[in-house]
Amino acid sequence: MTENKSDGAVWKLEQDGMFTVASCYLSLCKNYIPYGPVNRFDSAFKDIWKVGVPLKVRFFGWICFLNKVPTKDSLWRKGILSNTLSIDCVFCENCNESILHSFLLCRNAGIVWREMAEWIGIPFKLGVDLKDSFLTWSSFCHAKRVKSRKTGVVWLATLWNLWLRRNDIVFNDGSNRCVIFFFGLL
């Protein structure tokens, strides 16, 4: 004789079958955080969520770490942009737009980062990628005894504003492609 059991969902990532945000997050990150010895970039995935900025800004930083921002090069690779459209960086128009180029390597974005670093007294260093850049800024703030929820605020605000400026140029025909005017640095 079989028991009458009601239908229900079971979350296989938890032993008790109950869904938790923590188990979902770990499942999403497992493809991006390498197995093996701890490396210095692992903490960036955790630390980004502790910064005292709006959730959408923290989420944007996280998807930047995962290389999932819909830049022109990624949209072109997925077939969303046609071959007739330019995938040049909207800030400099010299290289293909990618996360790394648009947010760190572009000469115009570099001016913004340099000005921000000088403003708060950090030795200017671009970093090898966004996680490295975030950790560099955070470690400086830790050394200056900045409150833990505030360590990544300037970095995330700068990254977020670069993204907003990029979108203004792309979607609102922002005719002035120079990033630094948006930040009021000149």
Side-chain angles (χ1 to χ4, degrees), residues 24-139:
C24 182
Y25 175 76
L26 290 173
S27 175
L28 290 171
C29 284
K30 73 179 179 185
N31 294 328
Y32 300 99
I33 298 176
Y35 291 106
V38 175
N39 76 43
R40 68 185 215 94
F41 297 123
D42 293 350
S43 66
F45 285 96
K46 295 176 195 166
D47 292 347
I48 195 103
W49 296 107
K50 298 175 185 173
V51 180
V53 296
L55 180 60
K56 67 182 178 182
V57 178
R58 283 180 279 170
F59 178 75
F60 180 74
W62 184 64
I63 64 171
C64 283
F65 290 171
L66 300 176
N67 201 21
K68 298 294 182 185
V69 176
T71 54
K72 289 181 180 181
D73 70 329
S74 69
L75 295 173
W76 184 80
R77 279 193 313 272
K78 295 174 184 174
I80 296 170
L81 291 180
S82 68
N83 290 342
T84 60
L85 294 174
S86 170
I87 61 170
D88 290 342
C89 171
V90 299
F91 298 139
C92 69
E93 297 180 326
N94 289 331
C95 297
N96 288 348
E97 181 186 80
S98 67
I99 292 174
L100 188 59
H101 174 78
S102 295
F103 295 136
L104 287 182
L105 303 179
C106 175
R107 69 175 184 266
N108 290 322
I111 292 170
V112 172
W113 288 111
R114 187 178 313 107
E115 291 288 331
M116 295 304 288
E118 288 175 10
W119 177 61
I120 63 172
I122 293 177
F124 178 65
K125 178 187 168 206
L126 280 175
V128 295
D129 66 6
L130 290 170
K131 293 181 292 292
D132 183 40
S133 177
F134 173 76
L135 291 173
T136 299
W137 283 65
S138 294
S139 66

